[in-house]
Amino acid sequence: MQGFDGFMWLLSTAFTLFSGFAFFDAAVRRDDAYRAADKQSKPFWLIILGIAFVVSLIFGILSFLPIAGLIATIVYMVDVRPALRGLPGGGRSRRGGGSSSDGPYGPYNGGR
């Protein structure tokens, strides 16, 4: 029985790390990237993944809520994340990388 408990603890820890990574990944993506990829909004995914992370910390892996959170996390990682990464710039926030006149396809030069 001790081996099963150890396995379940390891599985629960892996899920907590997985959902934490998904939450962090969703947090660093640009808000407009979700609209451009035609996915739900960034706040929607942050709420869903945040709840999945908290639930994985509180409940055991054999409960209903962590399994629902695991499904939501898998949907984000398999469907939403690749769509965001496929966008120019990978959907990540730019920190001082461009000027204020940069458009979605590069710098705007005033029609010259």
Side-chain angles (χ1 to χ4, degrees):
M1 201 61 173
Q2 185 179 8
F4 181 73
D5 287 340
F7 174 72
M8 293 310 290
W9 178 84
L10 186 63
L11 194 62
S12 180
T13 302
F15 169 57
T16 302
L17 292 174
F18 183 57
S19 62
F21 172 76
F23 178 78
F24 177 76
D25 186 71
V28 298
R29 303 287 175 183
R30 293 189 332 247
D31 191 28
D32 60 338
Y34 289 86
R35 290 188 303 271
D38 197 27
K39 302 298 177 187
Q40 293 288 336
S41 66
K42 180 176 182 174
F44 172 83
W45 282 109
L46 288 177
I47 290 169
I48 295 295
L49 295 172
I51 290 172
F53 179 70
V54 170
V55 163
S56 72
L57 289 173
I58 296 173
F59 296 103
I61 193 69
L62 293 178
S63 300
F64 172 73
L65 290 175
I67 292 173
L70 178 62
I71 291 169
T73 303
I74 290 172
V75 167
Y76 175 81
M77 294 298 285
V78 172
D79 183 39
V80 178
R81 186 172 188 251
L84 296 176
R85 291 183 73 184
L87 296 173
R92 292 205 179 254
S93 299
R94 289 188 300 183
R95 296 188 180 171
S99 73
S100 62
S101 64
D102 282 355
Y105 305 109
Y108 178 71
N109 61 7
R112 290 179 242 153

